[in-house]
Amino acid sequence: MKFWECPQRGTLIKRYKRFFVDVELETGTCVMAHCVNTGAMLGLTEPGSKVWVCPKKPQSLGKLPFVWMMEEVKEGHQAKPILVGTNTAIPSMLVKEALTEKRFPQWSDIKSFKSEPCLGESRLDFLLTFEHSLVWIEVKNVHLKHNTVALFPDCVTQRGTKHLRLLTALAQQGKTAVMLYVVQRNDCSVFQIAGYLDAEYGKAFEAAHQAGVVMLAYGCEMSLQGITIQSCPLEVQGVCWAPF
């Protein structure tokens, strides 16, 4: 997915009211940007962090002039900073693009797909249609990691638990249900659930896995031009119940 406009680098001043961040651009101008992430954003909200913001899309109805897209994260004294995605709307866009271009080998024979299909009074992210079957998919954004292990969630997520239970119900009915985690960074090889941060989500994940929900995780190639889902999935290792 190519960015609609070149991102601009700046320094994070503060995040507040969940949806807002103040950023001082390298030009010296201070701007307010939309934070498309309602979670804790553990490890990404430290004032002084180097961040990248994009001017909002021309067709966007948002009132803020910028959207927070990425942050530079450095681990260790000698490490080179890497880019980590901060916009939680991006993963669904990446999956939609990959489905359209048939870049998922396991779904290369897809006939069509629908975004945000209704499931009772709820919605999931995608419904894939094949010649003789359907596949339901929910997508989640991941940014947190320890060493090379990507972790989700970074705080309690009642909405995420609800989605896992919806997928579990589908799997118990004999339908194909997929939980797809998109890790907006390229330095992970393994994915785990951070049960020590949300025990209910951890339990729901284990129940979903036992019911037959397919668990997938993909890293991303991050650049100042755009973001792309990696071709090979990460190894999914289940729930981590104790902090590292």
Side-chain angles (χ1 to χ4, degrees):
M1 186 201 81
K2 292 186 180 298
F3 293 139
W4 50 92
E5 202 165 324
C6 184
Q8 299 182 40
R9 190 171 186 258
T11 301
L12 180 65
I13 299 173
K14 64 178 179 178
R15 179 201 184 195
Y16 53 103
K17 296 182 180 178
R18 294 196 301 173
F19 299 105
F20 303 96
V21 288
D22 289 339
V23 175
E24 182 180 354
L25 301 179
E26 290 190 325
T27 60
T29 303
C30 289
V31 300
M32 181 185 292
H34 183 199
C35 175
V36 192
N37 190 328
T38 60
M41 299 186 72
L42 199 62
L44 295 179
T45 59
E46 185 70 24
S49 300
K50 297 303 178 182
V51 299
W52 294 84
V53 296
C54 268
K56 71 174 184 177
K57 290 183 178 180
Q59 68 271 29
S60 172
L61 299 177
K63 296 181 180 180
L64 297 181
F66 290 89
V67 59
W68 185 12
M69 297 299 295
M70 298 180 292
E71 181 169 327
E72 295 178 17
V73 174
K74 184 177 180 181
E75 297 181 357
H77 296 295
Q78 303 300 322
K80 180 181 179 181
I82 69 156
L83 295 172
V84 176
T86 56
N87 186 335
T88 55
I90 295 299
S92 288
M93 296 180 189
L94 294 174
V95 172
K96 184 176 182 178
E97 180 182 78
L99 289 171
T100 300
E101 298 175 358
K102 297 187 176 182
R103 287 194 272 113
F104 291 111
Q106 66 271 42
W107 300 318
S108 60
D109 58 342
I110 185 174
K111 298 298 181 183
S112 63
F113 68 88
K114 181 179 181 180
S115 299
E116 298 191 354
C118 292
L119 186 62
E121 296 181 355
S122 302
R123 292 178 183 270
L124 293 175
D125 283 312
F126 296 100
L127 175 59
L128 280 52
T129 300
F130 299 83
E131 187 170 354
H132 299 296
S133 63
L134 300 173
V135 173
W136 296 84
I137 301 176
E138 177 63 18
V139 178
K140 294 298 180 190
N141 176 76
V142 182
H143 76 270
L144 185 64
K145 80 144 194 171
H146 177 79
N147 292 332
T148 61
V149 181
L151 295 162
F152 180 91
D154 71 340
C155 63
V156 172
T157 171
Q158 295 177 342
R159 187 168 181 267
T161 299
K162 175 185 175 182
H163 286 143
L164 274 180
R165 289 172 176 161
L166 286 172
L167 294 173
T168 300
L170 288 170
Q172 290 171 338
Q173 297 166 21
K175 299 176 182 177
T176 302
V178 178
M179 185 69 248
L180 200 164
Y181 299 94
V182 176
V183 184
Q184 284 201 75
R185 54 194 305 160
N186 68 357
D187 58 348
C188 299
S189 58
V190 176
F191 172 82
Q192 285 188 301
I193 296 300
Y196 61 92
L197 292 175
D198 187 346
E200 283 303 308
Y201 190 88
K203 294 173 185 176
F205 178 92
E206 290 187 332
H209 185 262
Q210 187 174 7
V213 176
V214 178
M215 304 297 181
L216 295 173
Y218 286 85
C220 291
E221 295 300 331
M222 313 289 297
S223 76
L224 299 182
Q225 290 72 48
I227 306 174
T228 306
I229 286 184
Q230 293 175 339
S231 57
C232 295
L234 306 179
E235 178 186 353
V236 178
Q237 291 188 343
V239 181
C240 178
W241 292 108
F244 291 92

